[in-house]
Amino acid sequence: MSKLFLCVLTNFLLYNYGIAQINCTSLLKKKFENKSYSPAELDSLIKDFSKLRACGLDSVALEIATSLPGVFNTLIAPSMQEPNKQITYSEVFNKIKEFKASPEYTTILKFHIANKTLRSRTVNLKEWSKDSLLFLDIFETDRSATEKGELDSFYNFMKENKIGEITYYQAWAIFKNQQKLMTPPKPQKKILWDDNQDSTLAEVIQAAKEQNKRVILYFSGWTDITSRKLEAELMYLSDDNILKYIRSKFVFKAILIDDRSKLTTKELQQDSNFVKNADNRGAKNRNIQTYYTHSKKIPYFIMLDETGKILKSLSENITKKTLDKFLE
């Protein structure tokens, strides 16, 4: 019997022995807390959760969900909106299965494979006609770079500078950095979200009183897809007319119910009515929403007078028409 066969047989038996040791029912019932995790804690959690591969969890879908920015948070966003809820492995397992079955998965998979390959493949301009296809997979959802001839510029940059012995990923980073240095900075447009982000609710109400304006509070969340879709459809953050109108008539503040920032001394002092049992800013913001709306629903708009008294709200059927009516 050859050594190679013995090696393969041994690995096969060890792998199946490992699977046999995993109790899928018990593992799926395990829970993890809705909290901020350190990199080491998160790595340990993912390592433990990865044992579910022996229970039918797709390895590639798991890798994508836990490695691409924002994907994992988006998958568990509904659970994360409930601060005291513990999330079961089963919930995440099912979300990853749904994610794999979604129409977007094929595109994300191609992006993931191309991204991994470009991070490890050394620049070889003789193979550019083939390797450039990996960049097209990454740009599949945004063809603007290729339409501008950026890939051609990248190729010429590598050729002129005799780029070699580094990966395509590293070469692209150098190329983009050089572009940035050569391009004069454009003035940043201040979006509505920037207004009063560091202000307490008490400061917002005081500013409204001093300016003789009303207050608009917009309850939302970083990970809430419905809010992002609403903002995009209404052009809420970029429509100059709406932006100018709101700034002229109101003091605006976006309140994020999943903000994990630590409470500042100023917040603890000035928003003291809302910090009970709050271990971060998101918890304080949820207390504010509960106080005014008795609801956890987002997105949610409310209008206050200059004393902090609620005048009206908008949380159902939010459209351009209903938002305009609300702002009257």
Side-chain angles (χ1 to χ4, degrees), residues 144-191:
S144 59
T146 54
E147 287 170 2
K148 294 174 183 175
E150 194 164 20
L151 276 183
D152 292 336
S153 299
F154 178 48
Y155 172 80
N156 292 330
F157 167 79
M158 292 188 291
K159 186 176 180 180
E160 291 168 6
N161 292 276
K162 298 179 180 179
I163 298 291
E165 299 183 356
I166 61 173
T167 65
Y168 280 111
Y169 181 83
Q170 292 169 322
W172 180 261
I174 296 169
F175 168 67
K176 294 300 288 184
N177 187 56
Q178 186 186 68
Q179 276 191 326
K180 185 177 179 181
L181 292 173
M182 296 175 65
T183 305
K186 294 180 181 180
Q188 292 266 329
K189 181 179 180 179
K190 186 179 180 184
I191 63 173

Side-chain angles (χ1 to χ4, degrees), residues 219-232:
F219 296 99
S220 179
W222 287 119
T223 60
D224 185 58
I225 299 173
T226 304
S227 295
R228 299 294 84 75
K229 183 179 178 182
L230 170 72
E231 292 152 11

Side-chain angles (χ1 to χ4, degrees), residues 34 77-85 218-221 224 226-227 255-258 282-283 285-302 314-316:
N34 175 4
S79 299
M80 296 296 279
Q81 290 173 16
E82 300 180 48
N84 299 318
K85 176 183 171 123
Y218 171 51
F219 296 99
S220 179
D224 185 58
T226 304
S227 295
I255 297 186
L256 303 168
I257 65 169
D258 54 1
N285 290 342
R286 290 190 291 272
N287 289 341
I288 293 174
Q289 182 178 15
T290 299
Y291 174 80
Y292 280 112
T293 71
H294 306 291
S295 170
K296 295 180 180 179
K297 178 180 172 60
I298 55 174
Y300 206 120
F301 295 92
I302 65 170
L314 176 65
S315 63
E316 302 289 343

Side-chain angles (χ1 to χ4, degrees), residues 26-282:
S26 297
L27 190 58
L28 287 166
K29 289 180 180 179
K30 287 187 71 171
K31 298 179 180 181
F32 61 95
E33 294 181 6
N34 175 4
K35 68 171 188 176
S36 297
Y37 287 90
S38 69
E41 289 174 328
L42 186 59
D43 185 63
S44 178
L45 175 62
I46 292 173
K47 186 176 180 180
D48 188 51
F49 182 79
S50 297
K51 294 175 184 176
L52 285 170
R53 287 178 295 185
C55 306
L57 180 64
D58 184 84
S59 297
V60 178
L62 171 65
E63 184 179 343
I64 294 173
T66 55
S67 63
L68 293 184
V71 174
F72 187 74
N73 279 346
T74 300
L75 290 177
I76 64 172
S79 299
M80 296 296 279
Q81 290 173 16
E82 300 180 48
N84 299 318
K85 176 183 171 123
Q86 288 193 316
I87 305 169
T88 65
Y89 280 23
S90 177
E91 288 178 86
V92 182
F93 180 92
N94 290 330
K95 286 292 184 181
I96 291 177
K97 286 177 64 178
E98 291 173 14
F99 168 58
K100 188 184 176 187
S102 69
E104 298 84 10
Y105 181 74
T106 301
T107 300
I108 295 174
L109 176 62
K110 288 172 68 176
F111 172 92
H112 177 66
I113 293 172
N115 185 48
K116 282 187 68 176
T117 305
L118 291 171
R119 285 175 178 270
S120 59
R121 182 170 294 179
T122 302
V123 172
N124 182 357
L125 295 186
K126 292 180 180 179
E127 299 290 330
W128 176 246
S129 60
K130 180 180 67 175
D131 292 343
S132 62
L133 298 178
L134 295 168
F135 283 92
L136 295 180
D137 285 340
I138 287 181
F139 295 144
E140 184 168 341
T141 56
D142 181 11
R143 291 289 182 178
S144 59
T146 54
E147 287 170 2
K148 294 174 183 175
E150 194 164 20
L151 276 183
D152 292 336
S153 299
F154 178 48
Y155 172 80
N156 292 330
F157 167 79
M158 292 188 291
K159 186 176 180 180
E160 291 168 6
N161 292 276
K162 298 179 180 179
I163 298 291
E165 299 183 356
I166 61 173
T167 65
Y168 280 111
Y169 181 83
Q170 292 169 322
W172 180 261
I174 296 169
F175 168 67
K176 294 300 288 184
N177 187 56
Q178 186 186 68
Q179 276 191 326
K180 185 177 179 181
L181 292 173
M182 296 175 65
T183 305
K186 294 180 181 180
Q188 292 266 329
K189 181 179 180 179
K190 186 179 180 184
I191 63 173
L192 199 56
W193 269 58
D194 294 330
D195 290 7
N196 300 302
Q197 270 304 296
D198 296 322
S199 300
T200 63
L201 179 59
E203 287 176 323
V204 167
I205 293 174
Q206 181 60 34
K209 186 180 298 185
E210 293 172 357
Q211 298 171 38
N212 193 28
K213 294 180 178 179
R214 290 167 291 172
V215 174
I216 296 292
L217 299 183
Y218 171 51
F219 296 99
S220 179
W222 287 119
T223 60
D224 185 58
I225 299 173
T226 304
S227 295
R228 299 294 84 75
K229 183 179 178 182
L230 170 72
E231 292 152 11
E233 288 176 350
L234 298 183
M235 298 185 71
Y236 184 66
L237 302 181
S238 58
D239 188 312
D240 285 338
N241 291 327
I242 293 178
L243 187 147
K244 289 175 182 177
Y245 180 78
I246 290 177
R247 284 188 172 142
S248 67
K249 300 291 184 181
F250 305 95
V251 178
F252 176 90
K253 182 173 176 62
I255 297 186
L256 303 168
I257 65 169
D258 54 1
D259 188 341
R260 296 182 176 277
S261 305
K262 290 184 177 180
L263 290 168
T264 63
T265 302
K266 183 172 72 170
E267 287 177 288
L268 291 171
Q269 293 174 345
Q270 298 183 6
D271 288 344
S272 57
N273 291 339
F274 305 108
V275 298
K276 185 178 180 181
N277 299 323
D279 56 356
N280 57 36
R281 185 170 294 167

